[in-house]
Amino acid sequence: MIINLNTLNRIYSMLGDDISKEIFKNRIMMSVSNNEIKWERGNVMTNRRIKEFIAIMEEQAKNRDIVIFGGGKRGKDLYQIINNIPWKYFIDTNPVEKKIGTIPVIAYENFVKNYHGECIVISSRIYRKEMERQLRRDGITDNIFNFGNILENMIQDQYFDLEIMRPISKNEVFVDVGCYDGMSSLNFGKWCKRDFTVYAFEPQKENFSLCKSTLENNNISYKLIQKGAWSEETTLKFKISMGMASQLYGKDEIEVDVTRIDKILANEKVTFIKMDIEGAELEALIGAQNVISNNKPILAISVYHRFEDIFSIPELILKYNPEYQFYLRHYSIRSSETVLYALPEAGIKGKNSRGAL
């Protein structure tokens, strides 16, 4: 992949704040450097919740040892990426390793017997509640810090936490491309605090049902499209993974229909488009050219699935509307979940709206 330096400079000049510029540089360096973890860590450290967490742990470290509860993937991520905390050791209910990195792994039952006031950081998002209940059931009620809640909050923040971003219309039209379980639509409603209609694209049968249930149970006005978003009307291979990680244009499994956003929403005044479709974002944006050019919606687009997304996606958006202002934010403790926000003038606080508010 050849990177055009003029393109990079142009995109960099359109980034609206220092956090965005730092994330942009880090993602470029992740792709061309032999020290990917350094730049990955740099992106993680831009997240406000991670900054708050580190500040709390630095204060805790003055008085007690800090340990990680959970030696699985998230625990290892925590240890490897947030390495400026003096981790003492791991505790794990079913340890399979004696050491992770340079620190020992202690069986949970031994830890409980010899507990002496350590600060315990729960590492898992999925099992965070069960792990906290386990500690409290075994008599440990103090100095528990549930990092799993931070991971969950980062997911809830994603797509809507940019402080400078404002709704465009009294009646918002939200396009959720890759809706999974419909929770992004709920989070959109909490953010915009006004009437809205959802157009949700979800080709996978199981996710389609989840999304429909969520939208109906919360009385959200919606139209659910059981197709993927793409640059043309066709049928593509769909690689099935569990939950949120299903991928278009995969090597195998099933075929699904895909369509253009321009075709489905030709007569709607779209105000916000969110996309997280495992690497198909660029093709979906090509199929949304008219909607973006004519309506100038706010865009929240995942730009971490492919190396070139960090520059090819904003480059395409600028072709549709050269006046978009860009912001980048990061929502995980690894390289995933980097979101590009593209804001028209009406979507920026402090700017004049189109008269719709």
Side-chain angles (χ1 to χ4, degrees):
M1 174 64 66
I2 298 174
I3 304 176
N4 186 304
L5 291 180
N6 289 331
T7 297
L8 295 186
N9 285 330
R10 185 187 180 203
I11 295 167
Y12 187 81
S13 71
M14 300 298 289
L15 294 170
D17 61 10
D18 290 340
I19 293 176
S20 303
K21 291 175 181 178
E22 183 175 355
I23 293 172
F24 184 77
K25 290 188 289 186
N26 287 340
R27 290 216 70 95
I28 296 296
M29 291 303 297
M30 279 172 58
S31 301
V32 300
S33 168
N34 291 324
N35 190 359
E36 180 176 335
I37 290 221
K38 172 183 175 181
W39 308 105
E40 187 177 32
R41 185 180 294 124
N43 278 345
V44 172
M45 296 305 173
T46 64
N47 186 277
R48 59 185 175 85
R49 293 190 185 275
I50 296 296
K51 291 178 181 178
E52 292 168 0
F53 167 72
I54 291 173
I56 292 170
M57 290 300 103
E58 288 175 344
E59 192 63 29
Q60 288 287 322
K62 295 177 182 178
N63 301 307
R64 54 183 54 86
D65 291 333
I66 304 177
V67 303
I68 299 174
F69 183 13
K73 183 180 186 308
R74 291 298 172 230
K76 291 174 181 176
D77 289 346
L78 190 60
Y79 166 73
Q80 186 175 37
I81 298 298
I82 307 182
N83 66 341
N84 51 343
I85 292 172
W87 306 112
K88 189 70 174 180
Y89 47 83
F90 283 86
I91 55 175
D92 199 276
T93 304
N94 298 296
V96 295
E97 301 167 273
K98 292 183 178 179
K99 265 190 170 185
I100 295 176
T102 61
I103 66 174
V105 180
I106 296 175
Y108 175 82
E109 59 183 16
N110 293 333
F111 170 77
V112 172
K113 291 176 184 176
N114 299 287
Y115 173 68
H116 60 276
E118 293 92 342
C119 175
I120 305 166
V121 178
I122 295 170
S123 62
S124 173
R125 181 181 70 87
I126 301 298
Y127 301 109
R128 66 190 187 280
K129 294 179 181 178
E130 293 89 338
M131 293 167 78
E132 185 164 344
R133 282 196 295 266
Q134 181 181 0
L135 288 167
R136 296 186 184 280
R137 185 183 63 235
D138 290 331
I140 300 175
T141 58
D142 297 324
N143 307 318
I144 299 172
F145 196 93
N146 203 324
F147 187 75
N149 290 336
I150 291 180
L151 296 175
E152 181 65 24
N153 288 334
M154 287 165 69
I155 291 175
Q156 300 302 318
D157 291 341
Q158 198 168 345
Y159 313 118
F160 311 113
D161 83 321
L162 192 65
E163 290 184 1
I164 198 172
M165 189 167 67
R166 59 172 287 171
I168 289 176
S169 172
K170 287 182 178 179
N171 298 290
E172 293 277 317
V173 176
F174 176 57
V175 182
D176 190 353
V177 186
C179 64
Y180 179 45
D181 59 359
M183 291 305 297
S184 290
S185 295
L186 293 187
N187 293 333
F188 175 78
K190 293 175 184 177
W191 170 75
C192 76
K193 296 182 175 64
R194 58 196 64 198
D195 293 336
F196 70 100
T197 298
V198 173
Y199 284 81
F201 289 76
E202 179 52 63
Q204 189 176 344
K205 182 178 178 181
E206 292 79 6
N207 290 349
F208 184 90
S209 297
L210 280 173
C211 186
K212 182 177 181 181
S213 178
T214 298
L215 297 173
E216 290 184 350
N217 289 342
N218 288 276
N219 297 315
I220 293 173
S221 173
Y222 75 94
K223 180 174 181 180
L224 198 50
I225 301 98
Q226 196 169 359
K227 292 184 177 183
W230 197 249
S231 56
E232 60 179 328
E233 299 285 315
T234 188
T235 301
L236 296 174
K237 293 289 185 179
F238 190 51
K239 185 176 181 180
I240 296 295
S241 300
M242 290 302 292
M244 301 169 71
S246 299
Q247 298 179 23
L248 283 171
Y249 66 84
K251 294 181 180 179
D252 50 20
E253 303 309 342
I254 65 171
E255 293 183 338
V256 296
D257 294 329
V258 291
T259 187
R260 292 179 299 111
I261 291 173
D262 280 345
K263 177 179 179 181
I264 301 298
L265 292 152
N267 298 317
E268 280 286 358
K269 188 69 172 177
V270 175
T271 61
F272 197 119
I273 299 175
K274 164 255 169 182
M275 283 188 189
D276 188 347
I277 43 177
E278 305 302 319
E281 288 83 2
L282 187 70
E283 290 291 335
L285 287 167
I286 291 172
Q289 178 175 357
N290 293 335
V291 166
I292 294 171
S293 297
N294 297 333
N295 296 336
K296 299 180 177 61
I298 293 171
L299 307 174
I301 313 295
S302 294
V303 289
Y304 65 90
H305 296 109
R306 302 183 308 160
F307 152 63
E308 62 268 26
D309 284 347
I310 191 65
F311 55 85
S312 62
I313 286 176
E315 181 183 24
L316 181 67
I317 293 169
L318 287 175
K319 288 180 181 178
Y320 296 163
N321 180 4
E323 297 179 358
Y324 267 110
Q325 182 82 61
F326 292 137
Y327 295 84
L328 289 164
R329 292 295 185 268
H330 190 76
Y331 300 100
S332 79
I333 58 168
R334 292 309 303 236
S335 61
S336 61
E337 313 309 335
T338 299
V339 173
L340 174 76
Y341 294 92
L343 305 186
E345 182 176 348
I348 300 176
K349 288 181 180 178
K351 297 284 188 176
N352 292 327
S353 73
R354 301 172 189 162
L357 292 175

